[in-house]
Amino acid sequence: MAETDDFKAKPPPGIDAIGASNEGASLYELIREDIIEGRLAANERLVVTDLARRHGTSTNPVREALQLLRGEGFVIFSPNRGARVRPIDQDFVRDIYEIGVLIEPALTRWFVGMATGEDIAQLERIQGLIEENNFADTFRHSELDTAFHTVMYQRHYNRHAAELWWKHREVLRAVSRRFNFTLARRAAIIREHRELIALIKAGEADKAAELISRHVEGSGRHVLEHMRARNAARAG
């Protein structure tokens, strides 16, 4: 079995997830974490000089970080108002996963026609690590699950579609970290991954595309259900 470090989540080749200086990339991680955890509230203004002072840096890395966050959808720039935190609400998550339901079947259908024996072996290796981890380490599961899907999409000729998938995947990964997987969702992920590998082996492109559509929708609905329950608990 391969070492788990062999399958860390990373963007498909040609898609630079950072594209900033080291300091800008570090600030991007810190500010994104503050947004996800609610330390920076929805619609809160993000003043460059204030953020630079808070993090003990100059303004240029902050600007870099905010542009990266804008690209991923965490930050909105408005005329005369500057940057503010996008509300990470149910509508935003719904929109993200519904786009995935449209994009990922097309990416999957193409992959089935191009998959090599090594591609399939890599999917099987990653799936083995996913099952070995068995959701014990949720961060590790997230890394492996993203790596699994990246194998299928990383060589697609439409780099815009692949980049959009990656950016949206990173948003959903970040949001879903707040919640635990239900037993039903755990079982569905394992089952659907196994079925997907079998369909890829058999060259069943349409069936694989249909399955990935259900898989993505199931993941999105799972996150939405957790968000609804959390909001209801806060309101109650």
Side-chain angles (χ1 to χ4, degrees):
M1 184 66 70
E3 294 296 326
T4 57
D5 285 348
D6 292 343
F7 298 107
K8 283 187 176 295
K10 56 185 178 180
I15 296 173
D16 187 352
I18 299 300
S21 65
N22 289 338
E23 194 171 6
S26 296
L27 283 173
Y28 154 82
E29 296 284 354
L30 291 171
I31 297 171
R32 188 176 78 157
E33 189 70 15
D34 283 344
I35 293 171
I36 293 165
E37 296 300 328
R39 290 186 289 269
L40 289 170
N43 293 310
E44 182 174 342
R45 286 191 65 209
L46 298 170
V47 180
V48 171
T49 53
D50 291 347
L51 289 169
R53 190 180 308 111
R54 180 187 305 179
H55 293 287
T57 185
S58 64
T59 56
N60 282 341
V62 174
R63 291 192 179 92
E64 289 180 338
L66 292 181
Q67 287 297 333
L68 292 170
L69 291 163
R70 179 188 193 182
E72 287 194 350
F74 286 106
V75 168
I76 299 171
F77 282 78
S78 303
N80 304 318
R81 293 186 60 190
R84 60 187 176 89
V85 176
R86 178 194 288 272
I88 308 298
D89 56 15
Q90 293 177 45
D91 288 346
F92 181 52
V93 170
R94 180 206 61 210
D95 292 349
I96 292 269
Y97 93 74
E98 285 184 353
I99 292 170
V101 169
L102 295 173
I103 290 176
E104 292 197 48
L107 297 176
T108 299
R109 189 178 286 108
W110 182 88
F111 173 73
V112 173
M114 301 294 293
T116 66
E118 177 53 32
D119 290 330
I120 293 169
Q122 191 172 25
L123 289 174
E124 291 177 327
R125 286 194 293 271
I126 298 171
Q127 181 61 17
L129 292 171
I130 288 172
E131 295 186 27
E132 182 181 281
N133 181 59
N134 196 28
F135 301 91
D137 182 337
T138 55
F139 282 86
R140 191 67 199 132
H141 172 82
S142 176
E143 291 279 334
L144 291 167
D145 189 61
T146 298
F148 181 94
H149 291 277
T150 302
V151 170
M152 297 193 295
Y153 306 150
Q154 62 186 349
R155 295 199 307 275
H156 198 280
Y157 65 88
N158 189 327
R159 305 315 294 161
H160 295 291
E163 183 172 10
L164 185 59
W165 166 76
W166 175 261
K167 288 180 177 179
H168 285 184
R169 174 82 183 193
E170 286 295 276
V171 172
L172 288 177
R173 278 214 309 152
V175 173
S176 65
R177 278 170 35 195
R178 307 176 186 177
F179 312 116
N180 292 321
F181 291 96
T182 63
L183 292 177
R185 187 61 201 155
R186 292 180 184 188
I189 290 169
I190 298 300
R191 182 183 68 253
E192 290 166 1
H193 277 198
R194 289 175 178 173
E195 291 176 3
L196 185 58
I197 292 171
L199 290 171
I200 294 167
K201 282 183 175 180
E204 296 280 3
D206 288 339
K207 290 181 179 179
E210 291 171 6
L211 175 57
I212 207 70
S213 178
R214 296 195 304 273
H215 185 67
V216 174
E217 184 166 9
S219 294
R221 290 188 179 279
H222 183 260
V223 174
L224 284 179
E225 286 166 6
H226 276 293
M227 293 180 77
R228 290 190 189 104
R230 180 198 60 192
N231 293 341
R234 287 176 176 174

